[in-house]
Amino acid sequence: LELTKTYNKEDFHIHHAETVGKVLGVLSREYDPGNEAYWIAVGILHDIDFELWPEQHCSKAQELLRELDIDESVIHAVVSHGYGLCSEGMEAKSVMKKFKAKKFAAGWSREVIAQGAEMLGLTVPELAAKTLAAMTAAEQQ
């Protein structure tokens, strides 16, 4: 978290990093038990470069993390992330309704999200529901 705060000063970005870390921690209990701390760190670091270098998002993160001698598996997980589908308080049905609109999250690749869900053995609506549930659980910690 301190590393993320080095490059991100806005409260929103810090809160977002903490929330994503918590969400990945909750999801790791099901998908990668025993590696909760790893996934929390990946979540906290996932947007390390976004505030200062939004045009170089992910590529700058890779550069920063390598300079800091961060493990390559963490770097890979950080730079290969997709953007989230939801905000707090939403339901999966509402996310999926918005997901169909081209203007909603216009920069997101629907194919990448669908492939990621498939790799987890889920449909996109199931992934949205799990993500929302994990966000709710993370906020209650």
Side-chain angles (χ1 to χ4, degrees):
L1 184 59
E2 291 308 312
L3 183 56
T4 294
K5 287 180 179 181
T6 300
Y7 300 100
N8 292 269
K9 305 299 181 200
E10 293 182 23
D11 288 339
F12 170 81
H13 290 131
I14 303 302
H15 179 72
H16 176 68
E18 291 174 318
T19 299
V20 173
K22 289 176 184 177
V23 168
L24 290 184
V26 169
L27 291 173
S28 74
R29 294 177 202 153
E30 181 175 349
Y31 292 101
D32 194 13
N35 286 318
E36 186 174 349
Y38 172 89
W39 288 107
I40 290 170
V42 167
I44 289 171
L45 292 170
H46 86 284
D47 277 349
I48 191 169
D49 59 353
F50 190 78
E51 189 173 313
L52 295 177
W53 301 280
E55 301 300 320
Q56 295 175 282
H57 182 43
C58 290
S59 63
K60 188 66 175 180
Q62 188 173 25
E63 178 185 321
L64 293 171
L65 296 172
R66 281 206 174 104
E67 287 173 3
L68 296 164
D69 202 29
I70 301 295
D71 185 89
E72 282 295 320
S73 71
V74 174
I75 295 170
H76 175 76
V78 165
V79 302
S80 65
H81 77 276
Y83 293 94
L85 288 174
C86 53
S87 62
E88 292 169 31
M90 293 185 80
E91 293 183 19
K93 183 178 178 180
S94 128
V95 170
M96 293 314 303
K97 184 176 178 181
K98 291 180 180 188
F99 188 71
K100 293 175 186 175
K102 289 184 179 182
K103 287 185 177 183
F104 175 71
W108 300 346
S109 168
R110 272 44 173 178
E111 279 185 35
V112 170
I113 294 167
Q115 288 172 350
E118 186 178 329
M119 290 169 69
L120 293 170
L122 302 171
T123 64
V124 173
E126 289 169 334
L127 176 60
K130 280 191 175 286
T131 301
L132 289 166
M135 289 179 77
T136 300
E139 286 298 316
Q140 293 172 355
Q141 290 183 351

